[in-house]
Amino acid sequence: MSSREVREMPRTFAQQLKYYRGLRGYTCKELGMMAKIDPGYVNSLERGKKKAPTYPIIKNLAKALKVDITDLIDIEPSEGELPLKSIQEVMVNQEYLIKGKLPTMETREDLLGLIEALLDCEWEEHSKHLDSVEILNRVDTFLRSLK
């Protein structure tokens, strides 16, 4: 068995990579250039098509994304080093079930969109209707992605 067959990142690596790239507003091409990695490889990692990046690649990605390497891979830092996470990071990084199933990346993104819409609402008298419509649209999108 080759080392490539043994080495495999957990499913959440792809989600975390995509989340942090999106958070920084980078395209796969931009991230690839900053991390000195082929942009197609970055895209393959995000889609879970490539599952065995080497440590130097993970290190370059973390540096380009300005995150700790433990934010990309499941290595638990010591208790005193655990940073607080935003609700968005928790929704992307943690495994959870929705209606008894692991959600797809699309479903996770739709749920995040719904949460962000809720958090962005001002609920001022002049904007209540628009806020309500936005939330209902996000709920509809999320529920469609569950099917």
Side-chain angles (χ1 to χ4, degrees):
M1 193 179 283
S2 75
S3 63
R4 204 156 180 82
E5 292 171 327
V6 173
R7 194 178 67 235
E8 186 171 309
M9 298 303 293
R11 188 177 73 78
T12 57
F13 174 78
Q15 295 166 340
Q16 290 164 299
L17 179 60
K18 185 174 182 177
Y19 170 75
Y20 285 113
R21 181 181 60 78
L23 189 65
R24 301 287 183 253
Y26 299 152
T27 63
C28 285
K29 183 176 181 179
E30 291 168 331
L31 179 58
M33 289 173 49
M34 289 185 291
K36 298 175 180 79
I37 299 168
D38 180 80
Y41 187 69
V42 172
N43 185 280
S44 293
L45 287 170
E46 284 187 0
R47 292 180 303 134
K49 300 293 181 194
K50 299 287 184 184
K51 296 186 180 187
T54 62
Y55 177 76
I57 288 175
I58 298 167
K59 186 174 146 190
N60 288 353
L61 287 168
K63 184 177 179 183
L65 291 168
K66 300 174 185 90
V67 298
D68 190 271
I69 199 164
T70 61
D71 289 327
L72 292 179
I73 58 176
D74 288 337
I75 296 176
E76 292 297 322
S78 64
E79 282 275 326
E81 298 174 359
L82 289 174
L84 293 176
K85 302 283 186 182
S86 69
I87 186 67
Q88 291 87 347
E89 290 172 305
V90 170
M91 295 300 295
V92 169
N93 298 337
Q94 300 300 309
E95 293 293 331
Y96 52 90
L97 300 175
I98 298 176
K99 293 189 170 186
K101 296 185 207 170
L102 279 173
T104 64
M105 186 55 125
E106 178 188 1
T107 300
R108 286 174 180 255
E109 289 171 357
D110 291 340
L111 181 55
L112 273 173
L114 174 57
I115 290 170
E116 288 169 352
L118 288 168
L119 294 173
D120 289 344
C121 286
E122 296 176 16
W123 292 110
E124 300 292 327
E125 195 59 41
H126 65 279
S127 67
K128 278 185 181 180
H129 177 72
L130 293 175
D131 289 340
S132 299
V133 169
E134 175 65 19
I135 289 169
L136 288 174
N137 285 335
R138 296 289 184 146
V139 167
D140 187 49
T141 300
F142 169 67
L143 291 176
R144 276 196 316 265
S145 73
L146 286 176
K147 294 180 180 178

